[in-house]
Structure formats: structure tokens, C-alpha cells
Amino acid sequence: MKNKIIEAVESEYMAKVVPSFRSGDTVRVNFRIVEGNKERVQPYEGVVIKIHRGGVGSTFTVRKVVGDVGVERTFPLYSPRIDSIELKRSGRVRRAKLFYLRALRGKATRIRERKKGF
């Protein structure tokens, strides 16, 4: 059981509204980056290959392919650096962790679209 003070602090960070998405969905994460004294928003778009749900410590990993090289990035879900998360398309997959995508290339990495209502 967590301490009441820790719960109060965590609930303050978890008050942020996060869109609902699953593994297999394609998302665009607009992430704020500080370079020197300037701050800019950099979009990162790819397929969600895993979600770790752990309260305020929740994370999700997004994979994209840049010039034949797979790039994965893990984002803290409740980070103040995340400007927004946009759901681009919903994917239909049969497992929670999509690590098998790492071994696939080209058209083999395609994921079917999930229809509305499912």
C-alpha cells in the first residue's frame, strides 16, 4: 500500500488527459526538446510496440523505420515534455508486445486496421 503523500503527488501528475491507444496503433508523439536556450516541438511517428502500465511510471515504446534502420524510442506517458499524442490509425494485433516486428522488413511489417467498435 502506498503512502498517502506519494499518492497525492502521483495523482497530480496523472491528472493529464492521455488518449487511449493500444499496441499496434500508429501514433504521433509531439515531444518538446530543449536545444540551448530554445525549445521546439519534434514529432515522432510510429507503431506502438509495447505499453508498460505502472501508474505515474507508465511508459510506451514507439518504433519507426528511418532509411532501413529501425528506431525505437520509449516515452514516459505522463511526462510534462510530451506536448500531445495523436492517434493516426488503429492496428489489429493479437498480442500485447510486438517485438517480432524487429525481425521483419518492408511489407511484412504491415499491421491490419482495426474496425470501429472492436
Side-chain angles (χ1 to χ4, degrees):
M1 189 166 142
K2 286 188 181 177
N3 188 340
K4 298 256 189 242
I5 298 167
I6 294 172
E7 282 182 1
V9 171
E10 283 185 358
S11 66
E12 185 180 313
Y13 283 101
M14 289 178 66
K16 180 177 164 182
V17 177
V18 177
S20 125
F21 58 90
R22 305 182 194 175
S23 290
D25 292 354
T26 302
V27 295
R28 173 178 280 157
V29 181
N30 293 314
F31 201 70
R32 279 198 293 271
I33 292 178
V34 178
E35 292 175 334
N37 57 354
K38 290 188 284 187
E39 188 174 289
R40 66 183 179 88
V41 175
Q42 177 177 339
Y44 190 91
E45 186 171 337
V47 177
V48 177
I49 62 165
K50 82 174 175 181
I51 300 174
H52 170 254
R53 300 190 193 278
V56 77
S58 298
T59 61
F60 63 101
T61 302
V62 179
R63 177 180 175 82
K64 70 177 182 178
V65 177
V66 181
D68 290 343
V69 178
V71 181
E72 293 180 9
R73 184 154 181 200
T74 302
F75 296 97
L77 190 59
Y78 295 104
S79 171
R81 292 227 177 267
I82 291 182
D83 195 48
S84 64
I85 302 171
E86 304 165 26
L87 181 65
K88 289 298 183 182
R89 65 188 292 262
S90 299
R92 182 172 165 223
V93 292
R94 295 175 64 166
R95 55 194 73 251
K97 308 284 194 252
L98 306 180
F99 300 138
Y100 67 89
L101 289 177
R102 293 171 177 163
L104 302 178
R105 295 283 172 261
K107 287 186 176 181
T109 62
R110 288 179 299 184
I111 295 174
R112 289 176 304 197
E113 184 128 17
R114 189 171 66 233
K115 304 286 188 256
K116 293 287 183 194
F118 291 102

